[in-house]
Each structure stands twice: as C-alpha cells, then as structure tokens.
Amino acid sequence: DLLLMCSDGLSEMLRTDEILALVTTNETLEEKTTRLIAAANANGGRDNISVLLVQAGQPERKPGFISRWLRAA
C-alpha cells in the first residue's frame, strides 16, 4: 500500500490519473516525490507544493519459539 498526502499545489496542478501514473512506477519514494513536484511545476506550479509518500511494507516476522530454541541448541 502507498499513502500520498499532498497540498493543493500538487492536486490542483495534476489530474488524478497523472498522479497515479507517477506513483505506480518502480522508482524509490524519493524519485516519485521528485517527479510529482516536477510535473506540478511543469503544469504551472501556481502554489506551494508539499508531498508526503509512505510505503507500507511487510511486517517483520519474529521467529517462533521452536526456531529460537533450535538456534540456541
């Protein structure tokens, strides 16, 4: 899952489909953020542009009791 929080400086300069296309690439979050800001500026950049992208990852699995016990042996 990817969460995007942005100011109207981004959302009023880009259509939803443009934003979606920019955030669904295989780039890093930093690269996606940079491209979003650049695209908003290219479309006029009439306001301050703030962008926050958060990527949810897989939770870290703790080893179970048996795994820990076997490693200790």
mmCIF file of all heavy atoms in Angstrom, residues 19-53:
data_model
loop_
_atom_site.group_PDB
_atom_site.id
_atom_site.type_symbol
_atom_site.label_atom_id
_atom_site.label_comp_id
_atom_site.label_asym_id
_atom_site.label_seq_id
_atom_site.Cartn_x
_atom_site.Cartn_y
_atom_site.Cartn_z
ATOM 1 N N ILE A 19 -1.243 11.622 -11.422
ATOM 2 C CA ILE A 19 -0.635 11.296 -10.131
ATOM 3 C C ILE A 19 -0.469 9.785 -10.007
ATOM 4 O O ILE A 19 0.592 9.294 -9.628
ATOM 5 C CB ILE A 19 -1.481 11.861 -8.971
ATOM 6 C CG1 ILE A 19 -1.444 13.390 -8.990
ATOM 7 C CG2 ILE A 19 -0.995 11.322 -7.627
ATOM 8 C CD1 ILE A 19 -2.402 14.063 -8.012
ATOM 9 N N LEU A 20 -1.518 9.046 -10.344
ATOM 10 C CA LEU A 20 -1.467 7.589 -10.263
ATOM 11 C C LEU A 20 -0.338 7.021 -11.117
ATOM 12 O O LEU A 20 0.397 6.130 -10.681
ATOM 13 C CB LEU A 20 -2.809 6.991 -10.679
ATOM 14 C CG LEU A 20 -2.946 5.476 -10.545
ATOM 15 C CD1 LEU A 20 -2.774 5.045 -9.101
ATOM 16 C CD2 LEU A 20 -4.279 5.023 -11.082
ATOM 17 N N ALA A 21 -0.185 7.540 -12.319
ATOM 18 C CA ALA A 21 0.878 7.055 -13.211
ATOM 19 C C ALA A 21 2.259 7.310 -12.610
ATOM 20 O O ALA A 21 3.165 6.480 -12.752
ATOM 21 C CB ALA A 21 0.764 7.727 -14.578
ATOM 22 N N LEU A 22 2.417 8.428 -11.922
ATOM 23 C CA LEU A 22 3.725 8.766 -11.347
ATOM 24 C C LEU A 22 4.042 7.979 -10.081
ATOM 25 O O LEU A 22 5.215 7.727 -9.787
ATOM 26 C CB LEU A 22 3.800 10.268 -11.062
ATOM 27 C CG LEU A 22 3.865 11.156 -12.298
ATOM 28 C CD1 LEU A 22 3.632 12.611 -11.942
ATOM 29 C CD2 LEU A 22 5.215 10.991 -12.992
ATOM 30 N N VAL A 23 3.038 7.582 -9.323
ATOM 31 C CA VAL A 23 3.313 6.872 -8.071
ATOM 32 C C VAL A 23 3.309 5.355 -8.218
ATOM 33 O O VAL A 23 3.677 4.647 -7.281
ATOM 34 C CB VAL A 23 2.355 7.287 -6.921
ATOM 35 C CG1 VAL A 23 2.491 8.759 -6.610
ATOM 36 C CG2 VAL A 23 0.924 6.905 -7.214
ATOM 37 N N THR A 24 2.919 4.837 -9.369
ATOM 38 C CA THR A 24 2.880 3.383 -9.553
ATOM 39 C C THR A 24 4.067 2.856 -10.355
ATOM 40 O O THR A 24 4.007 1.773 -10.919
ATOM 41 C CB THR A 24 1.554 2.943 -10.215
ATOM 42 O OG1 THR A 24 1.380 3.657 -11.434
ATOM 43 C CG2 THR A 24 0.375 3.164 -9.295
ATOM 44 N N THR A 25 5.148 3.609 -10.369
ATOM 45 C CA THR A 25 6.376 3.158 -11.030
ATOM 46 C C THR A 25 7.212 2.346 -10.047
ATOM 47 O O THR A 25 6.885 2.253 -8.863
ATOM 48 C CB THR A 25 7.202 4.361 -11.526
ATOM 49 O OG1 THR A 25 7.622 5.123 -10.395
ATOM 50 C CG2 THR A 25 6.394 5.230 -12.478
ATOM 51 N N ASN A 26 8.293 1.781 -10.515
ATOM 52 C CA ASN A 26 9.203 1.010 -9.654
ATOM 53 C C ASN A 26 10.316 1.871 -9.069
ATOM 54 O O ASN A 26 11.319 1.341 -8.597
ATOM 55 C CB ASN A 26 9.812 -0.161 -10.435
ATOM 56 C CG ASN A 26 8.807 -1.242 -10.694
ATOM 57 O OD1 ASN A 26 7.877 -1.444 -9.920
ATOM 58 N ND2 ASN A 26 8.964 -1.939 -11.802
ATOM 59 N N GLU A 27 10.159 3.176 -9.087
ATOM 60 C CA GLU A 27 11.169 4.084 -8.557
ATOM 61 C C GLU A 27 11.096 4.135 -7.038
ATOM 62 O O GLU A 27 10.128 3.676 -6.430
ATOM 63 C CB GLU A 27 10.952 5.485 -9.124
ATOM 64 C CG GLU A 27 11.095 5.556 -10.621
ATOM 65 C CD GLU A 27 10.769 6.933 -11.152
ATOM 66 O OE1 GLU A 27 9.703 7.469 -10.805
ATOM 67 O OE2 GLU A 27 11.587 7.442 -11.916
ATOM 68 N N THR A 28 12.111 4.737 -6.436
ATOM 69 C CA THR A 28 12.097 4.928 -4.989
ATOM 70 C C THR A 28 11.076 5.998 -4.626
ATOM 71 O O THR A 28 10.628 6.766 -5.491
ATOM 72 C CB THR A 28 13.479 5.386 -4.473
ATOM 73 O OG1 THR A 28 13.747 6.704 -4.980
ATOM 74 C CG2 THR A 28 14.587 4.426 -4.879
ATOM 75 N N LEU A 29 10.706 6.066 -3.360
ATOM 76 C CA LEU A 29 9.765 7.092 -2.916
ATOM 77 C C LEU A 29 10.318 8.491 -3.182
ATOM 78 O O LEU A 29 9.588 9.390 -3.577
ATOM 79 C CB LEU A 29 9.455 6.924 -1.420
ATOM 80 C CG LEU A 29 8.691 5.666 -1.033
ATOM 81 C CD1 LEU A 29 8.474 5.630 0.474
ATOM 82 C CD2 LEU A 29 7.365 5.576 -1.766
ATOM 83 N N GLU A 30 11.606 8.666 -2.982
ATOM 84 C CA GLU A 30 12.231 9.966 -3.232
ATOM 85 C C GLU A 30 12.124 10.355 -4.709
ATOM 86 O O GLU A 30 11.799 11.496 -5.039
ATOM 87 C CB GLU A 30 13.698 9.944 -2.802
ATOM 88 C CG GLU A 30 14.376 11.279 -2.927
ATOM 89 C CD GLU A 30 15.808 11.265 -2.405
ATOM 90 O OE1 GLU A 30 16.246 10.255 -1.833
ATOM 91 O OE2 GLU A 30 16.481 12.287 -2.586
ATOM 92 N N GLU A 31 12.365 9.408 -5.598
ATOM 93 C CA GLU A 31 12.263 9.683 -7.038
ATOM 94 C C GLU A 31 10.817 9.998 -7.431
ATOM 95 O O GLU A 31 10.568 10.917 -8.222
ATOM 96 C CB GLU A 31 12.781 8.498 -7.840
ATOM 97 C CG GLU A 31 14.278 8.286 -7.717
ATOM 98 C CD GLU A 31 14.752 6.947 -8.257
ATOM 99 O OE1 GLU A 31 13.977 5.969 -8.249
ATOM 100 O OE2 GLU A 31 15.921 6.890 -8.693
ATOM 101 N N LYS A 32 9.866 9.250 -6.875
ATOM 102 C CA LYS A 32 8.456 9.514 -7.172
ATOM 103 C C LYS A 32 8.062 10.906 -6.707
ATOM 104 O O LYS A 32 7.368 11.644 -7.415
ATOM 105 C CB LYS A 32 7.565 8.476 -6.488
ATOM 106 C CG LYS A 32 7.690 7.089 -7.066
ATOM 107 C CD LYS A 32 6.859 6.098 -6.273
ATOM 108 C CE LYS A 32 7.091 4.688 -6.766
ATOM 109 N NZ LYS A 32 6.233 3.704 -6.094
ATOM 110 N N THR A 33 8.504 11.274 -5.508
ATOM 111 C CA THR A 33 8.188 12.591 -4.957
ATOM 112 C C THR A 33 8.775 13.693 -5.840
ATOM 113 O O THR A 33 8.098 14.671 -6.162
ATOM 114 C CB THR A 33 8.735 12.716 -3.525
ATOM 115 O OG1 THR A 33 8.137 11.680 -2.722
ATOM 116 C CG2 THR A 33 8.421 14.059 -2.921
ATOM 117 N N THR A 34 10.007 13.514 -6.246
ATOM 118 C CA THR A 34 10.668 14.496 -7.114
ATOM 119 C C THR A 34 9.917 14.651 -8.430
ATOM 120 O O THR A 34 9.698 15.766 -8.914
ATOM 121 C CB THR A 34 12.129 14.081 -7.371
ATOM 122 O OG1 THR A 34 12.816 14.035 -6.116
ATOM 123 C CG2 THR A 34 12.827 15.043 -8.306
ATOM 124 N N ARG A 35 9.481 13.542 -9.017
ATOM 125 C CA ARG A 35 8.748 13.586 -10.292
ATOM 126 C C ARG A 35 7.379 14.248 -10.128
ATOM 127 O O ARG A 35 6.918 14.973 -11.007
ATOM 128 C CB ARG A 35 8.600 12.190 -10.874
ATOM 129 C CG ARG A 35 9.916 11.643 -11.394
ATOM 130 C CD ARG A 35 9.678 10.354 -12.165
ATOM 131 N NE ARG A 35 10.909 9.716 -12.538
ATOM 132 C CZ ARG A 35 11.645 10.056 -13.596
ATOM 133 N NH1 ARG A 35 11.262 11.040 -14.364
ATOM 134 N NH2 ARG A 35 12.758 9.408 -13.869
ATOM 135 N N LEU A 36 6.700 13.975 -9.009
ATOM 136 C CA LEU A 36 5.403 14.616 -8.756
ATOM 137 C C LEU A 36 5.558 16.132 -8.690
ATOM 138 O O LEU A 36 4.798 16.877 -9.308
ATOM 139 C CB LEU A 36 4.793 14.094 -7.446
ATOM 140 C CG LEU A 36 4.211 12.684 -7.482
ATOM 141 C CD1 LEU A 36 3.972 12.178 -6.060
ATOM 142 C CD2 LEU A 36 2.911 12.661 -8.280
ATOM 143 N N ILE A 37 6.545 16.587 -7.944
ATOM 144 C CA ILE A 37 6.775 18.026 -7.798
ATOM 145 C C ILE A 37 7.166 18.646 -9.131
ATOM 146 O O ILE A 37 6.668 19.714 -9.508
ATOM 147 C CB ILE A 37 7.826 18.297 -6.711
ATOM 148 C CG1 ILE A 37 7.263 17.881 -5.340
ATOM 149 C CG2 ILE A 37 8.258 19.760 -6.708
ATOM 150 C CD1 ILE A 37 8.277 17.852 -4.216
ATOM 151 N N ALA A 38 8.033 17.977 -9.879
ATOM 152 C CA ALA A 38 8.455 18.484 -11.189
ATOM 153 C C ALA A 38 7.270 18.586 -12.143
ATOM 154 O O ALA A 38 7.134 19.569 -12.881
ATOM 155 C CB ALA A 38 9.545 17.594 -11.773
ATOM 156 N N ALA A 39 6.395 17.575 -12.116
ATOM 157 C CA ALA A 39 5.225 17.596 -13.004
ATOM 158 C C ALA A 39 4.266 18.722 -12.628
ATOM 159 O O ALA A 39 3.723 19.400 -13.504
ATOM 160 C CB ALA A 39 4.510 16.249 -12.948
ATOM 161 N N ALA A 40 4.060 18.939 -11.331
ATOM 162 C CA ALA A 40 3.191 20.034 -10.894
ATOM 163 C C ALA A 40 3.778 21.383 -11.302
ATOM 164 O O ALA A 40 3.054 22.268 -11.770
ATOM 165 C CB ALA A 40 2.985 19.979 -9.381
ATOM 166 N N ASN A 41 5.085 21.538 -11.163
ATOM 167 C CA ASN A 41 5.740 22.775 -11.597
ATOM 168 C C ASN A 41 5.648 22.956 -13.108
ATOM 169 O O ASN A 41 5.429 24.064 -13.596
ATOM 170 C CB ASN A 41 7.204 22.807 -11.138
ATOM 171 C CG ASN A 41 7.338 23.220 -9.700
ATOM 172 O OD1 ASN A 41 6.588 24.055 -9.200
ATOM 173 N ND2 ASN A 41 8.295 22.629 -9.004
ATOM 174 N N ALA A 42 5.788 21.862 -13.858
ATOM 175 C CA ALA A 42 5.695 21.933 -15.317
ATOM 176 C C ALA A 42 4.295 22.331 -15.779
ATOM 177 O O ALA A 42 4.131 22.924 -16.844
ATOM 178 C CB ALA A 42 6.091 20.587 -15.937
ATOM 179 N N ASN A 43 3.295 22.016 -14.956
ATOM 180 C CA ASN A 43 1.908 22.372 -15.296
ATOM 181 C C ASN A 43 1.506 23.740 -14.757
ATOM 182 O O ASN A 43 0.333 24.079 -14.763
ATOM 183 C CB ASN A 43 0.938 21.307 -14.769
ATOM 184 C CG ASN A 43 0.935 20.057 -15.611
ATOM 185 O OD1 ASN A 43 1.483 20.033 -16.700
ATOM 186 N ND2 ASN A 43 0.329 19.010 -15.113
ATOM 187 N N GLY A 44 2.441 24.506 -14.291
ATOM 188 C CA GLY A 44 2.134 25.860 -13.840
ATOM 189 C C GLY A 44 2.636 26.182 -12.454
ATOM 190 O O GLY A 44 3.002 27.304 -12.169
ATOM 191 N N GLY A 45 2.647 25.209 -11.550
ATOM 192 C CA GLY A 45 3.176 25.393 -10.206
ATOM 193 C C GLY A 45 2.723 26.688 -9.542
ATOM 194 O O GLY A 45 3.536 27.435 -9.031
ATOM 195 N N ARG A 46 1.418 26.942 -9.541
ATOM 196 C CA ARG A 46 0.908 28.222 -9.055
ATOM 197 C C ARG A 46 0.877 28.343 -7.537
ATOM 198 O O ARG A 46 0.553 29.395 -7.014
ATOM 199 C CB ARG A 46 -0.498 28.453 -9.606
ATOM 200 C CG ARG A 46 -0.519 28.645 -11.116
ATOM 201 C CD ARG A 46 -1.888 29.034 -11.605
ATOM 202 N NE ARG A 46 -2.887 28.006 -11.363
ATOM 203 C CZ ARG A 46 -3.270 27.102 -12.244
ATOM 204 N NH1 ARG A 46 -2.726 27.108 -13.448
ATOM 205 N NH2 ARG A 46 -4.183 26.214 -11.962
ATOM 206 N N ASP A 47 1.170 27.271 -6.800
ATOM 207 C CA ASP A 47 1.084 27.303 -5.346
ATOM 208 C C ASP A 47 2.238 26.490 -4.769
ATOM 209 O O ASP A 47 2.924 25.775 -5.488
ATOM 210 C CB ASP A 47 -0.265 26.712 -4.909
ATOM 211 C CG ASP A 47 -0.684 27.104 -3.504
ATOM 212 O OD1 ASP A 47 0.128 27.724 -2.787
ATOM 213 O OD2 ASP A 47 -1.823 26.794 -3.119
ATOM 214 N N ASN A 48 2.436 26.599 -3.462
ATOM 215 C CA ASN A 48 3.439 25.759 -2.805
ATOM 216 C C ASN A 48 3.045 24.296 -2.983
ATOM 217 O O ASN A 48 1.873 23.955 -2.942
ATOM 218 C CB ASN A 48 3.518 26.080 -1.317
ATOM 219 C CG ASN A 48 4.056 27.466 -1.065
ATOM 220 O OD1 ASN A 48 4.780 28.012 -1.882
ATOM 221 N ND2 ASN A 48 3.687 28.046 0.055
ATOM 222 N N ILE A 49 4.051 23.450 -3.153
ATOM 223 C CA ILE A 49 3.800 22.028 -3.393
ATOM 224 C C ILE A 49 4.425 21.229 -2.255
ATOM 225 O O ILE A 49 5.633 21.274 -2.055
ATOM 226 C CB ILE A 49 4.405 21.576 -4.738
ATOM 227 C CG1 ILE A 49 3.857 22.431 -5.880
ATOM 228 C CG2 ILE A 49 4.129 20.097 -4.979
ATOM 229 C CD1 ILE A 49 4.636 22.292 -7.166
ATOM 230 N N SER A 50 3.590 20.512 -1.527
ATOM 231 C CA SER A 50 4.050 19.619 -0.460
ATOM 232 C C SER A 50 3.597 18.215 -0.789
ATOM 233 O O SER A 50 2.446 17.992 -1.164
ATOM 234 C CB SER A 50 3.466 20.030 0.890
ATOM 235 O OG SER A 50 3.875 21.334 1.231
ATOM 236 N N VAL A 51 4.519 17.262 -0.641
ATOM 237 C CA VAL A 51 4.211 15.864 -0.958
ATOM 238 C C VAL A 51 4.819 14.972 0.113
ATOM 239 O O VAL A 51 5.973 15.138 0.489
ATOM 240 C CB VAL A 51 4.791 15.451 -2.337
ATOM 241 C CG1 VAL A 51 4.538 13.977 -2.620
ATOM 242 C CG2 VAL A 51 4.215 16.313 -3.443
ATOM 243 N N LEU A 52 4.021 14.028 0.600
ATOM 244 C CA LEU A 52 4.490 13.008 1.529
ATOM 245 C C LEU A 52 4.024 11.661 1.000
ATOM 246 O O LEU A 52 2.826 11.447 0.783
ATOM 247 C CB LEU A 52 3.913 13.233 2.929
ATOM 248 C CG LEU A 52 4.184 12.147 3.958
ATOM 249 C CD1 LEU A 52 5.676 12.071 4.276
ATOM 250 C CD2 LEU A 52 3.382 12.410 5.216
ATOM 251 N N LEU A 53 4.970 10.764 0.749
ATOM 252 C CA LEU A 53 4.657 9.401 0.315
ATOM 253 C C LEU A 53 5.111 8.427 1.393
ATOM 254 O O LEU A 53 6.243 8.520 1.878
ATOM 255 C CB LEU A 53 5.383 9.052 -0.991
ATOM 256 C CG LEU A 53 4.845 9.654 -2.275
ATOM 257 C CD1 LEU A 53 5.755 9.295 -3.447
ATOM 258 C CD2 LEU A 53 3.432 9.182 -2.550
#
